[in-house]
Amino acid sequence: MTDTGHLTDTGNATDVLLLTLDVNGERHEVITEPRRTLVDVLRHDLRLTGTHVGCEHGICGACTVLVDDRPVRACLMFAAQAEGARIRTVESLSDGAELSDLQRSFSEHHGLQCGFCTPGFLMLAEGFLAERPEATKDEIREVVASNLCRCTGYQTIVEAIDGCAAARRCPKEF
């Protein structure tokens, strides 16, 4: 992180930072103010709009991303705090041509309706399953309770995550 100075149109000095962020395996240099959140930099500077902004208080989970493989609320983290960490957004799940196993499971189990909360649930689940591949439905239910969804009633989200976990534990042989 490099501190630089910047004069605004009014002539007042404003601090800005040059950050190097590792996002979805790519290095990005961003000049930003120290007070900007990770979600704002991801969406507005890097144009990764899959990470949604909901409550901006860390309650809803729509902005969940993985930072060093752990789910984090990007609205509560300053972008400067993420420098040196590996950041993954929902865009990292798919290779562009094919959905990931977790995304397919959400689709197959109808784990989404309006879709606003879906990226946050996907990233929460991706981080959780990496840490707890043998998770039970009760454990999954407890984890998904940390994110808010107004449409699904959660059961289909739990089924989708459990279905993906089961498939990862017992991959099909060809």
Side-chain angles (χ1 to χ4, degrees), residues 134-167:
E134 302 288 330
T136 66
K137 278 190 179 180
D138 285 338
E139 292 170 324
I140 293 168
R141 207 172 272 110
E142 184 175 328
V143 166
V144 301
S146 68
N147 282 25
L148 298 178
C149 175
R150 294 177 49 165
C151 302
T152 66
Y154 294 91
Q155 187 58 35
T156 55
I157 294 170
V158 171
E159 295 293 334
I161 296 168
D162 184 57
C164 180

Side-chain angles (χ1 to χ4, degrees), residues 11-165:
N12 296 327
T14 303
D15 289 331
V16 293
L17 303 172
L18 172 61
L19 303 177
T20 302
L21 299 177
D22 176 354
V23 182
N24 300 334
E26 293 181 22
R27 182 181 164 180
H28 298 273
E29 289 188 347
V30 178
I31 297 174
T32 188
E33 296 173 347
R35 64 183 175 85
R36 292 205 46 230
T37 62
L38 180 57
V39 72
D40 285 336
V41 169
L42 291 172
R43 288 183 59 80
H44 302 291
D45 297 336
L46 303 183
R47 303 286 187 227
L48 295 170
T49 57
T51 304
H52 291 167
V53 179
C55 68
E56 298 187 83
H57 295 286
I59 296 168
C60 74
C63 66
T64 303
V65 298
L66 298 182
V67 177
D68 289 334
D69 301 321
R70 304 208 35 114
V72 169
R73 305 287 206 228
C75 74
L76 295 180
M77 182 178 215
F78 292 118
Q81 292 174 291
E83 190 170 46
R86 290 179 329 278
I87 304 161
R88 285 186 59 203
T89 68
V90 71
E91 288 89 352
S92 73
L93 295 180
S94 170
D95 65 7
E98 188 175 318
L99 295 177
S100 72
D101 59 343
L102 182 59
Q103 290 170 311
R104 283 193 311 275
S105 189
F106 264 66
S107 178
E108 291 164 3
H109 290 88
H110 308 287
L112 56 119
Q113 286 184 20
C114 82
F116 187 81
C117 65
T118 305
F121 275 108
L122 286 168
M123 296 314 291
L124 178 69
E126 185 73 9
F128 177 67
L129 291 180
E131 188 175 303
R132 295 272 304 122
E134 302 288 330
T136 66
K137 278 190 179 180
D138 285 338
E139 292 170 324
I140 293 168
R141 207 172 272 110
E142 184 175 328
V143 166
V144 301
S146 68
N147 282 25
L148 298 178
C149 175
R150 294 177 49 165
C151 302
T152 66
Y154 294 91
Q155 187 58 35
T156 55
I157 294 170
V158 171
E159 295 293 334
I161 296 168
D162 184 57
C164 180

